[in-house]
Amino acid sequence: MIFIGWTIYEYQTETTDLSNDNIIHLYLLDSLEKYQKRHSFSISKDVSHPGYEIYNIDENINKRITVDKTKNRTIYRIEAFDSSSKTSRNVSIGTSVTDLIHIYGENYRERSSDQTDKLIEYVDRDQDILLSFSIYEDQVDGINLEVKDF
């Protein structure tokens, strides 16, 4: 029953076009190799995900990507928790919730979280993309862009 309730709650939120969104100029579903001239990638020792490799970006443990081991090392998740990272719409760590909603719009869902005050999530159902913002003390504290249900 909880699963059905979550699905209904998710679909009550209108879709947001996230097709051109990125974090630090990295795009979902691109190959990791496309970015190796501009960035360095090192295997993360802090986190793991079965079937995927997780890399720190530019030796920074607060910027990570998750790639599929078998599909051209395709990027499925981009995470950023440092102040130098921003989305293609200029939302970064420290952006206020008011500014975030002004930039991305009112079509979001809000969830509680054990690790932060709350999460604000935008969903693009056409592209199967989820963009999540960790919120702490009414400011963005983390950004997560991922292929939904990867």
Side-chain angles (χ1 to χ4, degrees), residues 47-64:
V47 285
S48 64
H49 192 293
Y52 296 88
E53 294 175 329
I54 300 173
Y55 292 91
N56 295 327
I57 304 168
D58 300 327
E59 304 297 325
N60 185 337
I61 62 170
N62 292 313
K63 293 192 280 190
R64 293 188 293 259

Side-chain angles (χ1 to χ4, degrees), residues 4-84:
I4 294 170
W6 174 252
T7 301
I8 291 170
Y9 173 67
E10 176 181 335
Y11 282 95
Q12 287 177 340
T13 305
E14 291 184 37
T15 192
T16 299
D17 182 7
L18 301 172
S19 59
N20 292 316
D21 275 71
N22 65 76
I23 298 175
I24 57 173
H25 304 287
L26 297 169
Y27 290 84
L28 293 176
L29 302 179
D30 276 352
S31 172
L32 174 67
E33 282 71 25
K34 180 175 179 177
Y35 300 102
Q36 288 186 318
K37 289 183 180 178
R38 289 187 288 174
H39 297 282
S40 65
F41 300 98
S42 57
I43 292 283
S44 174
K45 294 174 179 53
D46 300 328
V47 285
S48 64
H49 192 293
Y52 296 88
E53 294 175 329
I54 300 173
Y55 292 91
N56 295 327
I57 304 168
D58 300 327
E59 304 297 325
N60 185 337
I61 62 170
N62 292 313
K63 293 192 280 190
R64 293 188 293 259
I65 59 169
T66 302
V67 300
D68 189 313
K69 286 183 180 179
T70 61
K71 296 181 182 174
N72 289 337
R73 294 167 33 127
T74 302
I75 299 170
Y76 282 86
R77 176 185 288 155
I78 307 161
E79 301 170 277
F81 300 95
D82 75 323
S83 59
S84 69

Side-chain angles (χ1 to χ4, degrees), residues 80-83 85 90-101 110-111 113 115-120 132-144:
F81 300 95
D82 75 323
S83 59
S85 302
N90 286 325
V91 171
S92 61
I93 306 306
T95 298
S96 72
V97 170
T98 302
D99 288 345
L100 168 66
I101 294 169
E110 192 173 299
R111 294 191 304 129
S113 170
Q115 299 173 346
T116 189
D117 290 347
K118 63 184 170 185
L119 294 172
I120 291 180
S132 303
F133 296 94
S134 301
I135 305 300
Y136 180 71
E137 295 183 352
D138 290 323
Q139 292 185 337
V140 173
D141 191 45
I143 307 167
N144 183 49

